[in-house]
mmCIF file of all heavy atoms in Angstrom:
data_model
loop_
_atom_site.group_PDB
_atom_site.id
_atom_site.type_symbol
_atom_site.label_atom_id
_atom_site.label_comp_id
_atom_site.label_asym_id
_atom_site.label_seq_id
_atom_site.Cartn_x
_atom_site.Cartn_y
_atom_site.Cartn_z
ATOM 1 N N ARG E 92 350.130 122.837 78.802
ATOM 2 C CA ARG E 92 351.283 122.047 79.245
ATOM 3 C C ARG E 92 352.394 122.011 78.206
ATOM 4 O O ARG E 92 353.363 121.284 78.373
ATOM 5 C CB ARG E 92 350.847 120.613 79.575
ATOM 6 C CG ARG E 92 349.840 120.524 80.715
ATOM 7 C CD ARG E 92 349.802 119.127 81.318
ATOM 8 N NE ARG E 92 349.591 118.105 80.310
ATOM 9 C CZ ARG E 92 348.391 117.649 79.941
ATOM 10 N NH1 ARG E 92 347.295 118.158 80.480
ATOM 11 N NH2 ARG E 92 348.287 116.693 79.038
ATOM 12 N N GLY E 93 352.263 122.771 77.135
ATOM 13 C CA GLY E 93 353.313 122.818 76.128
ATOM 14 C C GLY E 93 352.863 122.259 74.796
ATOM 15 O O GLY E 93 351.809 121.638 74.663
ATOM 16 N N LYS E 94 353.716 122.475 73.787
ATOM 17 C CA LYS E 94 353.368 122.074 72.422
ATOM 18 C C LYS E 94 353.208 120.564 72.258
ATOM 19 O O LYS E 94 352.287 120.126 71.547
ATOM 20 C CB LYS E 94 354.395 122.627 71.432
ATOM 21 C CG LYS E 94 353.989 122.465 69.984
ATOM 22 C CD LYS E 94 354.945 123.171 69.050
ATOM 23 C CE LYS E 94 354.537 122.999 67.596
ATOM 24 N NZ LYS E 94 355.460 123.700 66.670
ATOM 25 N N PRO E 95 354.079 119.724 72.845
ATOM 26 C CA PRO E 95 353.854 118.275 72.688
ATOM 27 C C PRO E 95 352.475 117.834 73.153
ATOM 28 O O PRO E 95 351.799 117.051 72.476
ATOM 29 C CB PRO E 95 354.971 117.661 73.532
ATOM 30 C CG PRO E 95 356.059 118.678 73.531
ATOM 31 C CD PRO E 95 355.339 119.998 73.567
ATOM 32 N N ALA E 96 352.030 118.343 74.309
ATOM 33 C CA ALA E 96 350.699 117.981 74.806
ATOM 34 C C ALA E 96 349.607 118.501 73.881
ATOM 35 O O ALA E 96 348.598 117.817 73.646
ATOM 36 C CB ALA E 96 350.505 118.525 76.220
ATOM 37 N N ALA E 97 349.798 119.715 73.344
ATOM 38 C CA ALA E 97 348.811 120.279 72.419
ATOM 39 C C ALA E 97 348.710 119.444 71.150
ATOM 40 O O ALA E 97 347.609 119.204 70.630
ATOM 41 C CB ALA E 97 349.186 121.718 72.077
ATOM 42 N N LEU E 98 349.838 118.980 70.644
ATOM 43 C CA LEU E 98 349.823 118.151 69.439
ATOM 44 C C LEU E 98 349.192 116.790 69.715
ATOM 45 O O LEU E 98 348.475 116.253 68.857
ATOM 46 C CB LEU E 98 351.246 117.986 68.900
ATOM 47 C CG LEU E 98 351.865 119.237 68.277
ATOM 48 C CD1 LEU E 98 353.320 118.984 67.880
ATOM 49 C CD2 LEU E 98 351.066 119.688 67.049
ATOM 50 N N ASN E 99 349.455 116.227 70.864
ATOM 51 C CA ASN E 99 348.811 114.950 71.211
ATOM 52 C C ASN E 99 347.291 115.095 71.207
ATOM 53 O O ASN E 99 346.574 114.225 70.692
ATOM 54 C CB ASN E 99 349.287 114.477 72.583
ATOM 55 C CG ASN E 99 350.696 113.927 72.561
ATOM 56 O OD1 ASN E 99 351.194 113.507 71.520
ATOM 57 N ND2 ASN E 99 351.352 113.932 73.708
ATOM 58 N N LEU E 100 346.807 116.194 71.750
ATOM 59 C CA LEU E 100 345.368 116.452 71.752
ATOM 60 C C LEU E 100 344.844 116.593 70.328
ATOM 61 O O LEU E 100 343.808 116.009 69.969
ATOM 62 C CB LEU E 100 345.076 117.722 72.549
ATOM 63 C CG LEU E 100 343.629 118.245 72.512
ATOM 64 C CD1 LEU E 100 342.667 117.217 73.101
ATOM 65 C CD2 LEU E 100 343.523 119.572 73.256
ATOM 66 N N ALA E 101 345.555 117.369 69.509
ATOM 67 C CA ALA E 101 345.106 117.600 68.135
ATOM 68 C C ALA E 101 345.058 116.311 67.329
ATOM 69 O O ALA E 101 344.098 116.065 66.582
ATOM 70 C CB ALA E 101 346.033 118.606 67.459
ATOM 71 N N LEU E 102 346.070 115.464 67.480
ATOM 72 C CA LEU E 102 346.104 114.234 66.686
ATOM 73 C C LEU E 102 345.082 113.213 67.174
ATOM 74 O O LEU E 102 344.657 112.360 66.398
ATOM 75 C CB LEU E 102 347.511 113.655 66.694
ATOM 76 C CG LEU E 102 348.424 114.101 65.531
ATOM 77 C CD1 LEU E 102 347.925 113.560 64.197
ATOM 78 C CD2 LEU E 102 348.583 115.613 65.467
ATOM 79 N N GLN E 103 344.667 113.303 68.425
ATOM 80 C CA GLN E 103 343.558 112.469 68.890
ATOM 81 C C GLN E 103 342.253 112.859 68.204
ATOM 82 O O GLN E 103 341.397 112.016 67.938
ATOM 83 C CB GLN E 103 343.388 112.608 70.407
ATOM 84 C CG GLN E 103 344.467 111.933 71.234
ATOM 85 C CD GLN E 103 344.299 112.199 72.722
ATOM 86 O OE1 GLN E 103 343.357 112.867 73.140
ATOM 87 N NE2 GLN E 103 345.206 111.692 73.532
ATOM 88 N N GLU E 104 342.110 114.151 67.919
ATOM 89 C CA GLU E 104 340.878 114.666 67.335
ATOM 90 C C GLU E 104 340.896 114.666 65.803
ATOM 91 O O GLU E 104 339.841 114.724 65.176
ATOM 92 C CB GLU E 104 340.644 116.097 67.826
ATOM 93 C CG GLU E 104 340.386 116.210 69.316
ATOM 94 C CD GLU E 104 339.016 115.682 69.697
ATOM 95 O OE1 GLU E 104 338.105 115.750 68.854
ATOM 96 O OE2 GLU E 104 338.861 115.200 70.837
ATOM 97 N N ALA E 105 342.076 114.635 65.208
ATOM 98 C CA ALA E 105 342.198 114.772 63.754
ATOM 99 C C ALA E 105 341.530 113.613 63.022
ATOM 100 O O ALA E 105 341.644 112.457 63.424
ATOM 101 C CB ALA E 105 343.672 114.854 63.361
ATOM 102 N N ARG E 106 340.828 113.943 61.933
ATOM 103 C CA ARG E 106 340.149 112.928 61.119
ATOM 104 C C ARG E 106 340.806 112.749 59.751
ATOM 105 O O ARG E 106 340.504 111.791 59.048
ATOM 106 C CB ARG E 106 338.678 113.311 60.934
ATOM 107 C CG ARG E 106 337.895 113.332 62.244
ATOM 108 C CD ARG E 106 336.436 113.709 62.023
ATOM 109 N NE ARG E 106 336.297 115.107 61.592
ATOM 110 C CZ ARG E 106 335.790 115.484 60.428
ATOM 111 N NH1 ARG E 106 335.365 114.574 59.563
ATOM 112 N NH2 ARG E 106 335.682 116.757 60.127
ATOM 113 N N GLY E 107 341.669 113.653 59.374
ATOM 114 C CA GLY E 107 342.296 113.580 58.057
ATOM 115 C C GLY E 107 343.344 112.486 57.970
ATOM 116 O O GLY E 107 344.022 112.174 58.954
ATOM 117 N N GLU E 108 343.498 111.916 56.785
ATOM 118 C CA GLU E 108 344.529 110.897 56.583
ATOM 119 C C GLU E 108 345.909 111.533 56.465
ATOM 120 O O GLU E 108 346.921 110.899 56.785
ATOM 121 C CB GLU E 108 344.210 110.056 55.351
ATOM 122 C CG GLU E 108 342.951 109.222 55.528
ATOM 123 C CD GLU E 108 342.757 108.216 54.419
ATOM 124 O OE1 GLU E 108 343.765 107.742 53.856
ATOM 125 O OE2 GLU E 108 341.606 107.914 54.104
ATOM 126 N N ILE E 109 345.968 112.767 55.994
ATOM 127 C CA ILE E 109 347.191 113.554 56.017
ATOM 128 C C ILE E 109 346.965 114.724 56.959
ATOM 129 O O ILE E 109 345.898 115.355 56.943
ATOM 130 C CB ILE E 109 347.570 114.093 54.620
ATOM 131 C CG1 ILE E 109 347.794 112.942 53.636
ATOM 132 C CG2 ILE E 109 348.808 114.985 54.698
ATOM 133 C CD1 ILE E 109 349.011 112.098 53.924
#
Side-chain angles (χ1 to χ4, degrees):
R92 298 200 307 269
K94 190 173 180 179
L98 289 175
N99 285 338
L100 173 62
L102 268 293
Q103 288 176 2
E104 295 288 331
R106 296 180 292 118
E108 294 190 30
I109 300 292

